[in-house]
Amino acid sequence: MAMLIPLLLMIVLFYFLLIRPQQKRQKEVNAMQSGLSKGDKIITIGGLHGTVVAIEDGNVVLDCAGSELTFDRNAVRTVLAKADAVEEEVVEAEVEEVATTEVETKEDVK
């Protein structure tokens, strides 16, 4: 009985330090890969940077400097920018540009 307690403790320790965090990371990766959409900027596991052009069954078509390349969806390592976030940044940049132009115009009038 005294020999079983350290063994059980070691199994529980392995579960909480190794198995559970790995399962959590795998769920996050699966969610990221299933949440890909057209226009997302990504990095593949090989280090290739590109923009998602199309998503087919298990494949992702990337635009990389004018070339369209097809990769397995599992080859996506990181999403740099979501398509929605890129559109918001463009709109924010346009609003800031208009605001600075208006300020410059008002200063010129004075």
Side-chain angles (χ1 to χ4, degrees), residues 6-56:
L7 183 63
L8 290 175
L9 239 128
M10 195 173 354
I11 291 172
V12 169
L13 187 66
F14 276 136
Y15 176 76
F16 282 107
L17 292 178
L18 298 174
I19 298 170
R20 192 167 173 224
Q22 181 61 32
Q23 288 175 342
K24 185 178 178 182
R25 271 188 245 115
Q26 189 61 41
K27 284 182 184 179
E28 290 172 357
V29 167
N30 288 341
M32 181 264 305
Q33 289 174 348
S34 65
L36 287 175
S37 62
K38 187 175 178 181
D40 289 351
K41 295 187 183 299
I42 65 168
I43 300 176
T44 65
I45 57 175
L48 185 73
H49 293 244
T51 304
V52 177
V53 175
I55 299 175
E56 301 163 357

Side-chain angles (χ1 to χ4, degrees), residues 17 38 43 57-58 62 68 76 90 98 100 102 106-109:
L17 292 178
K38 187 175 178 181
I43 300 176
D57 299 325
L62 300 179
E68 289 191 359
V76 176
V90 170
V98 169
T100 55
E102 288 177 2
K106 287 179 183 178
E107 289 176 357
D108 292 339
V109 172

